[in-house]
Amino acid sequence: MEQEKVIVIDFGGQYNQLVARRVRECQVYCEIYSYRTPIDEIKAMNPKGIILTGGPNSCYEEGAPTYTKELFELGIPVLGLCYGAQLMNHILGGKVEKAPVREYGKTETIIDGGKDSLFAGVEDSTIVWMSHFDYISQPAPGFEILAHTADCPVAADANEEKKLYAIQFHPEVLHTVRGKEILFNFVRNICGCAGDWRMDSFAEKAVEEIRAKVGDGKVLLALSGGVDSSVLAALLAKAIGKQLTCVFVDHGLLRKNEGDEVEGVFGANGSFDINFVRVNAAERYYAKLAGVSEPERKRKIIGEEFIRVFEEEAKKIGKVDFLAQGTIYPDVVESGLGGESAVIKSHHNVGGLPDYVDFKEIIEPLRNLFKDEVRKVGLELGLPEYLVFRQPFPGPGLGIRIIGEVTAEKVRMVQDADYIYREEVDKAAKAYKDEHGVEAPWMPNQYFAALTNMRSVGVMGDERTYDYAVAVRAVRTIDFMTAEAAEIPFEVLQTVMSRIINEVRGVNRVMYDLTSKPPGTIELE
Ligand code: XMP
C-alpha cells in the first residue's frame, strides 16, 4: 500500500525542517522539496496535502521564488505559512505589501473564523510566533479572513471550499501555543490523512525492504561508531545478518575507549551476528600527519587516508553488491537534494566514495529520517543508550581538536583531558537533574576538550613545568550553525581543572573557551 504523505514546498525559510518534523509528529509522513521542483513531479507523488513554507523574500519582487498557479487547482489541500501564505494570496489575486509595522515574536492573535476547520479547538485569543516585514493587505478573491492581530489585518485567511489556507504566523515554532493543533487540524482533518506513520513500524518495514532489495547479496558498510552508521549497522544486522560486513577504521583519533566500545557492540563478542573488521590504522595516520599543522591540510589527509584504508579492506572482501551509507534526512536536505534552505557544510563527511570498491548500488535506508527518529530506531534495535545519544563528533576526530601538529603523545593528552571533562560535566548534570527533576539550564549540546598549541610555565610540587594548555569548550545550540558558550557552574570547571592538571601528564593549564559562533566555530581547530 502506498504510504500517504504530505509534501512541504520549501521557499528557503529557517524553520522549514521543523515543519516536516511537526507533520511527522502528527503521524503523517512528510518530505521537503524545493520550490524549483516541477509540478508534474509533485503530482506524481500523489500527496494528500501540500504545505508552502516561509522564506526570506518579498513575493511581489521580481525574481522572488514562486510557484505555478496550477498548484492551487489540483484539488489537493494547500497550507501556506508566512511567505507561503503571502505567495498563495499574491498568486491568486490578493495584495501583499510592506507592512506599516513589522511583527516579530510572540503575538496575540484573535481567531475570527475556521473554528470548525483549521482553528478547531483553538481559543478565540491565542499566542503565535510572528516574523514578517510584508503582510497580506487584501485577501485573494474567494478568501475569507480567519484571524487578525493588532498590527496584521490578515493573520490567516482561507478559501475553505477549495481547502486553501494561509497563515501569516509560524505554527511549527513551539512559541505558537496551539501550533501543533493547527497543523494536526490541517493534515489529519482537512487533508484527511489517517495518521498511520509510526516510528516503531519503521524498523520492521525497513527490514523487509532491505531483504527484498538485497536478496542474497553482500553489503559493505563503513562504520564510524557515530549514531547514524551504528543505527544503520544494527538495522542491516537484523535484516541480513552475515551478509553484512562492517569495516571500522580506527584512525587513532577517536575519543578515549571509543574504538573498544564500538568493537564491544559490533565485534565478535557483541550482540550482532555480522562480519566486523576493525582496522587499527593509528600508526599509519600519525605517520601521514607528522609535521602537518595547517587545519585544512590535516582534514584532507585524514579524509584521504580513510578512503585508502577502506579501499584496501574492501579489496580483501572482494566483490560486494551494495554499499550502505548512513545518510539521514537533514544530510539530504542540506546537500541541496531536497529542500531549498541548503546549508552546504564543506566539512560534512561527504568525502567522496572510494573509487574502486566494486559494488552495484548504494543503499541508504535512513535517508528519510530525522536525527531523533534515527535515535528511536537505534533504541528499538537494542543499541546501548550511550551510543544512541552520542554527541556529534567530527569525522576527522581529535585530529582537528589538537591545534598544530598531531602526535601520539598529544592524542593521549587530549583523550584523557576530554574524558575527565565529559565525566565531570555528566556527573554535575545528573546531580542537577536528580535534585530538581529537570535538565540543568546550562546543559550543553556539545562539550569537549581540545589541546592548544601553547606551552607555558607552571609549578608542580617543587618542580618547574613547561607544558601544554588544554581548552575546554561547552556550547548551547539548536542547529549547530550558531552557538553560545554554556554557563557551566564554576565549581564544576574548578574540579575539571584540578583533575586534568593532576591526572594528565604534559598539561599544566586549563582554559574555558567563551567564544560564540559566529565569530568562532564550535570546534577549536
Ligand atoms: P563548527 O566547528 O563548524 O562545527 O562550528 C559545527 C558542528 O559540526 C561538527 N563538525 C563536523 N562534523 N564532520 C562532521 O561530521 C566534520 O568534519 C566536522 N567538523 C565539525 C562539530 O563538531 C559541530 O557539532
Side-chain angles (χ1 to χ4, degrees):
M1 201 185 69
E2 194 185 1
Q3 173 77 57
E4 64 178 17
K5 64 175 132 184
V6 164
I7 297 295
V8 171
I9 300 187
D10 185 350
F11 290 92
Q14 53 182 326
Y15 309 125
N16 298 350
Q17 289 207 17
L18 263 185
V19 178
R21 287 283 324 271
R22 298 275 173 261
V23 171
R24 288 190 189 186
E25 283 167 11
C26 300
Q27 268 86 50
V28 173
Y29 185 64
C30 181
E31 288 178 357
I32 308 175
Y33 291 90
S34 162
Y35 71 91
R36 294 173 220 264
T37 311
I39 183 116
D40 288 340
E41 281 180 34
I42 300 282
K43 273 202 290 204
M45 294 173 210
N46 197 19
K48 299 273 287 189
I50 294 169
I51 300 180
L52 312 180
T53 74
N57 301 79
S58 285
C59 64
Y60 47 81
E61 272 171 8
E62 192 150 354
T66 185
Y67 210 83
T68 161
K69 193 173 176 184
E70 206 191 322
L71 186 75
F72 305 101
E73 293 158 2
L74 299 175
I76 300 171
V78 184
L79 173 67
L81 306 177
C82 196
Y83 183 82
Q86 296 167 2
L87 187 68
M88 181 190 293
N89 277 272
H90 177 71
I91 292 174
L92 297 176
K95 190 156 190 207
V96 176
E97 54 193 328
K98 183 139 292 320
V101 180
R102 175 190 182 208
E103 278 187 310
Y104 183 81
K106 292 184 191 173
T107 308
E108 191 193 5
T109 298
I110 309 300
I111 305 297
D112 307 302
K115 293 184 189 182
D116 298 322
S117 54
L118 194 61
F119 294 126
V122 179
E123 297 78 2
D124 289 349
S125 159
T126 186
I127 298 296
V128 307
W129 184 257
M130 284 285 191
S131 173
H132 63 116
F133 289 103
D134 290 344
Y135 77 146
I136 301 161
S137 54
Q138 199 185 313
F143 276 59
E144 179 197 346
I145 295 177
L146 301 188
H148 71 276
T149 72
D151 293 313
C152 184
V154 188
D157 67 357
N159 182 333
E160 297 240 27
E161 204 187 313
K162 296 194 170 156
K163 297 195 177 179
L164 304 178
Y165 293 85
I167 320 185
Q168 180 56 67
F169 55 87
H170 290 276
E172 69 277 22
V173 172
L174 290 179
H175 299 305
T176 297
V177 177
R178 293 295 186 183
K180 273 189 183 170
E181 286 84 350
I182 297 169
L183 286 172
F184 188 95
N185 286 338
F186 180 70
V187 297
R188 297 289 292 272
N189 301 335
I190 295 169
C191 302
C193 293
D196 53 7
W197 160 255
R198 294 270 186 292
M199 274 320 297
D200 51 10
S201 60
F202 172 85
E204 267 167 52
K205 244 192 249 161
V207 162
E208 277 169 32
E209 281 168 16
I210 292 165
R211 283 186 186 144
K213 176 142 202 178
V214 169
D216 55 7
K218 277 206 232 170
V219 179
L220 178 63
L221 168 68
L223 178 67
S224 70
V227 179
D228 306 339
S229 67
S230 297
V231 172
L232 180 55
L235 187 64
L236 290 167
K238 184 163 178 190
I240 54 167
K242 282 266 188 231
Q243 286 163 257
L244 170 69
T245 301
C246 290
V247 173
F248 168 55
V249 178
D250 183 343
H251 51 22
L253 303 165
L254 297 169
R255 287 164 288 197
K256 187 168 171 154
N257 302 336
E258 197 171 355
D260 294 341
E261 283 169 9
V262 173
E263 184 169 352
V265 174
F266 294 103
N269 300 322
S271 41
F272 297 105
D273 190 24
I274 55 174
N275 300 301
F276 174 85
V277 182
R278 174 175 177 172
V279 191
N280 290 314
E283 295 312 321
R284 206 171 142 164
Y285 274 83
Y286 298 161
K288 285 267 174 196
L289 289 166
V292 181
S293 55
E294 207 271 309
E296 276 303 309
R297 185 87 202 100
K298 289 198 288 191
R299 278 177 177 274
K300 240 194 146 114
I301 291 173
I302 297 168
E304 280 169 8
E305 201 55 19
F306 173 80
I307 304 229
R308 295 289 91 76
V309 175
F310 187 68
E311 274 172 354
E312 282 167 26
E313 289 310 311
K315 264 187 155 175
K316 288 184 204 160
I317 297 163
K319 184 165 170 46
V320 293
D321 302 284
F322 300 90
L323 187 68
Q325 290 201 313
T327 314
I328 69 169
Y329 200 52
D331 302 332
V332 175
V333 177
E334 274 176 6
S335 49
L337 301 174
E340 188 55 28
S341 45
V343 197
I344 301 164
K345 291 196 213 156
S346 69
H347 62 216
H348 221 281
N349 303 335
V350 249
L353 284 173
D355 295 337
Y356 59 90
V357 174
D358 195 5
F359 65 93
K360 262 194 333 223
E361 208 179 319
I362 291 180
I363 50 174
E364 298 176 312
L366 306 178
R367 92 179 254 127
N368 291 324
L369 301 189
F370 285 103
K371 193 80 172 188
D372 59 327
E373 295 174 330
V374 173
R375 291 197 161 110
K376 274 192 204 152
V377 175
L379 289 178
E380 219 175 286
L381 293 168
L383 286 175
E385 285 203 8
Y386 71 83
L387 235 171
V388 168
F389 291 100
R390 266 218 162 128
Q391 295 190 43
F393 186 64
L398 300 177
I400 59 162
R401 290 184 184 167
I402 293 170
I403 299 172
E405 187 189 2
V406 174
T407 65
E409 184 62 3
K410 286 182 172 180
V411 170
R412 176 195 55 80
M413 284 186 229
V414 76
Q415 275 181 338
D416 287 349
D418 180 66
Y419 189 82
I420 292 168
Y421 179 51
R422 284 188 290 129
E423 190 169 70
E424 291 299 330
V425 171
D426 291 344
K427 201 161 86 183
K430 181 172 183 305
Y432 187 99
K433 201 164 183 182
D434 289 348
E435 190 184 336
H436 297 88
V438 289
E439 187 164 88
W442 45 263
M443 185 63 198
N445 303 98
Q446 193 173 3
Y447 47 111
F448 58 86
L451 189 69
T452 75
N453 205 14
M454 182 191 88
R455 294 171 75 191
S456 65
V457 172
V459 277
M460 278 278 252
D462 294 328
E463 297 274 319
R464 179 182 189 277
T465 58
Y466 187 60
D467 282 337
Y468 282 98
V470 157
V472 292
R473 180 112 170 101
V475 293
R476 286 180 61 79
T477 172
I478 293 172
D479 53 9
F480 296 84
M481 307 304 286
T482 63
E484 304 269 313
E487 289 186 40
I488 307 283
F490 193 66
E491 61 277 13
V492 178
L493 291 175
Q494 265 180 319
T495 309
V496 168
M497 175 274 294
S498 65
R499 279 196 61 196
I500 291 179
I501 292 175
N502 283 324
E503 297 173 36
V504 186
R505 210 171 2 96
V507 176
N508 69 351
R509 213 169 271 272
V510 176
M511 328 223 225
Y512 189 63
D513 185 348
L514 285 171
T515 320
S516 312
K517 171 182 180 174
T521 54
I522 292 175
E523 298 292 343
L524 258 91
E525 54 180 305

